[in-house]
Amino acid sequence: MAGIKASQSRVSELNRSHMLRVLYRGGIKSRAQIAQELDLTPAAVSKISARLIDAHAIEETSDIRGKGNRRSIGLRIPAERFHVIGVKFARTIVQIGVFDLNGTALAIDELPPVTDDCIADVVSDVRSRLAHIIDADPDVVAVGMAVPGPYLRTVGRTALVSSMHGWRRVNFLHEFGTAFRVPVYVEQDARAGVLAQSLFGKQSDGARVPQPDSAAPTAAPTAQSTAETTEGAKPSTLAYYLLGEGIGLGVIDHGMLINGELGAATEIGHVSIDVNGRTCDCGNVGCLERYCSATAIRHDLLEDPDAPHIAGVEDMTPAQAANALFKAAADGDQAAVHMVARVGRYVGYGCVTIINAFNPGRIVLGDIVAGGGETLLAAVQSVVDERVIPQIADATSIELSSLPTDSAISGAAAVAVNQFLDNPSLFLDLK
Amino acid sequence: MAGIKASQSRVSELNRSHMLRVLYRGGIKSRAQIAQELDLTPAAVSKISARLIDAHAIEETSDIRGKGNRRSIGLRIPAERFHVIGVKFARTIVQIGVFDLNGTALAIDELPPVTDDCIADVVSDVRSRLAHIIDADPDVVAVGMAVPGPYLRTVGRTALVSSMHGWRRVNFLHEFGTAFRVPVYVEQDARAGVLAQSLFGKQSDGARVPQPDSAAPTAAPTAQSTAETTEGAKPSTLAYYLLGEGIGLGVIDHGMLINGELGAATEIGHVSIDVNGRTCDCGNVGCLERYCSATAIRHDLLEDPDAPHIAGVEDMTPAQAANALFKAAADGDQAAVHMVARVGRYVGYGCVTIINAFNPGRIVLGDIVAGGGETLLAAVQSVVDERVIPQIADATSIELSSLPTDSAISGAAAVAVNQFLDNPSLFLDLK
């Protein structure tokens, strides 16, 4: 009989998760609307919603107008009542943010720039800051972390962080996995970013944002999204292209995050665009991130004789150097405009590879280098128009991220929110 | 109440599909073993198996020895009783094969080499050959087709077939979709190949071959595999790297075929390995298939002054030219050995990209250029060892296909078998 019980509780959890996702996507819905969307009976919806109301995960709202102008009671998730913490670890950048379930930032703190020799101190500083926030805010239900890839999800470590090797020694699962009263989930940064675009981002005109929608509940402190495609829903594919100190990519294909065997898939930063090109710490040659990351921009500003002159660039972080370049371009410095366009062409070569490898319907550019704005985007689009089969290029929209905060920190929060929506029984008192 | 009915019939179909998959993978199993694997009650297993027995999809076998040496009745799929037809469309090659459900070839026919101006005739020839086979063999339940990518699955056409543009004009869904008494499923060739490796291939030592395991039944004549990861099963990621007249890739990531928005994902043949390299018909520059496909080998044998002399190569098809090169290398021609190693290095650059993009646990090399054998494989492995992060390279096995027939024709059959296992009610009289 254990079999029946396991199956039934799994089905119950799936139904709760599906109901929460319908309300999360749709805002306020009546029980009848939910029943229709989920293909469940009114009785089943009443039962599931009653338990979620008891657990304060959803609440009734004032009347809403339904079909035939009839009034009915709406249900909603009180998203403001659940808080998650997002932590972004980049190379030199560590940010901690508190968000509500909708991804609205309530507070964001940035730590001082990290150097390779102070990483252990930074980790312990983050741990005590998190403990403090979690103690002070009883609404916090989970912590999500975004870390540079290739992140080996079962091991808990990043396999390589080019130009900042110290991060390799940090085992995120050991350092944070069981440190607090709330669970901690760790995800590769760009994969976290695509979750943020999917959960918090604006939807393209008419297109449904694909949402990962996990079937298998998991207690492991690692974000893992596996999904079945909902029958009748139009599946689609979304990519988040992280142009930061490194270059990363997260892809949701038909509702499922692409992970690979070890969690090291979609490492576009280490895909070669020139097998005879620049060497990289990862062993590969011609890695994309050696051409168009913020780190590469800083390097080229220092080394390339054709680069614009940016005063004080040798003392800047990669983010500061990239921002200074974009400012110079905006101010009309022709060498800077030229360099932004060149960086954009390399970002574009990456897009061509992303399209041939993953065929996303939508590519969102985010993080530091997306600050190149329309000049950069125009160069990207022109490379894609030149180099992709027209029928496929026409079916791919490429845009700058419209999230109010950086996608990786929003993404860290999204990793936690995604787990909440997938496995509500881990977070709620469902009796 | 329509809701209940739909949900219940979907659950029933899923249970039938899961039971068929357990027996397909495991050979003979008792009802108790099935109940345990699927986490179902004995009563549920009895009910499901009774209906499948009535429909002749499974049958009871003589006693098997179970736990504690107790005997029980086994169940099996009479795989020899169901036939599928596989059709492989390459550039110049069209093959038609009849297979049983286990992928054993019963008959394989190859049509005369196709030229760009006779494609319409070839399509009509294939249609009449299929009609003839289906008329003569009542055991045929489905037709699977493998076509060159990028294949636009909802449109039914291939977006581009470099060097053989005539194929673009063929709409496979219109030509074959409803032509016969059995359904026809069309899939990109390398994706069909990875299905063949998954369903028919030998398993790696200890590793479970990931099987796509569709949840949503679909009546559309297109192979579409979407899956939930079975709880408790070790998920993994498998890639089939098709080295034929073109270069293709199929990836099953944690039980799910990677498709992309239009079905044009995993087009590794058009991923650039050199943004300043050889131009390609697709508009991109440095496409992998311009360096190591059979078509590229034939081209280089004709044009490259360092290439070995192969008598009569100008009258050979790409497959004949590649095979002649491999024979010359095996016979000790040093220029030929050198060229095979060079082709292998390019195949290896593709592997490095496949690993960074998809992180498969296993990459199977198949089709014409895999005929380069150990010389080729050694060159591939050496590039991977040089250029991939060691921890990730160590977790990736790269091997030559061990299927007795070409993976793409087996793959065409696998596309049909996969649909049979996913959606049994489309093929069986389940009352």
Side-chain angles (χ1 to χ4, degrees), chain A residues 108-272:
Chain A
I108 293 190
D109 255 354
E110 182 159 336
L111 275 65
V114 181
T115 55
D116 216 5
D117 53 358
C118 72
I119 288 175
D121 297 337
V122 169
V123 166
S124 113
D125 185 17
V126 169
R127 203 167 37 223
S128 63
R129 284 171 187 246
L130 291 180
H132 182 77
I133 299 171
I134 293 168
D135 275 353
D137 182 352
D139 291 340
V140 170
V141 293
V143 178
M145 295 185 167
V147 304
Y151 174 71
L152 307 172
R153 57 170 63 241
T154 51
V155 181
R157 280 197 307 100
T158 283
L160 174 96
V161 183
S162 55
S163 79
M164 285 284 279
H165 295 289
W167 283 117
R168 276 192 60 190
R169 287 189 292 272
V170 180
N171 187 307
F172 292 92
L173 295 183
H174 292 179
E175 296 289 351
F176 300 105
T178 56
F180 315 110
R181 69 162 168 84
V182 299
V184 178
Y185 303 95
V186 185
E187 187 52 277
Q188 179 249 43
D189 49 11
R191 228 167 274 157
V194 77
L195 284 176
Q197 295 295 333
S198 154
L199 292 171
F200 310 147
K202 77 170 167 106
Q203 311 217 350
S204 276
D205 301 337
R208 177 177 164 271
V209 174
Q211 279 201 33
D213 187 10
S214 291
T218 167
T222 308
Q224 204 154 12
S225 270
T226 57
E228 46 172 19
T229 301
T230 314
E231 218 179 333
K234 277 209 190 85
S236 58
T237 301
L238 173 67
Y240 176 69
Y241 187 11
L242 183 155
L243 308 164
E245 295 191 290
I247 302 277
L249 178 72
V251 180
I252 298 176
D253 182 38
H254 294 77
M256 181 158 161
L257 270 177
I258 297 179
N259 281 316
E261 187 76 16
L262 307 170
T266 61
E267 282 302 331
I268 194 76
H270 295 292
V271 166
S272 174

Side-chain angles (χ1 to χ4, degrees), chain B residues 69-81:
Chain B
N69 216 11
R70 271 183 304 179
R71 290 176 168 278
S72 55
I73 295 169
L75 295 175
R76 69 183 282 273
I77 299 175
E80 63 289 353
R81 207 188 285 151

Side-chain angles (χ1 to χ4, degrees), chain B residues 381-400:
Chain B
Q381 190 66 58
S382 123
V383 168
V384 168
D385 291 344
E386 276 165 44
R387 301 201 170 194
V388 174
I389 297 169
Q391 200 168 358
I392 295 172
D394 291 349
T396 315
S397 81
I398 303 174
E399 59 202 68
L400 301 169

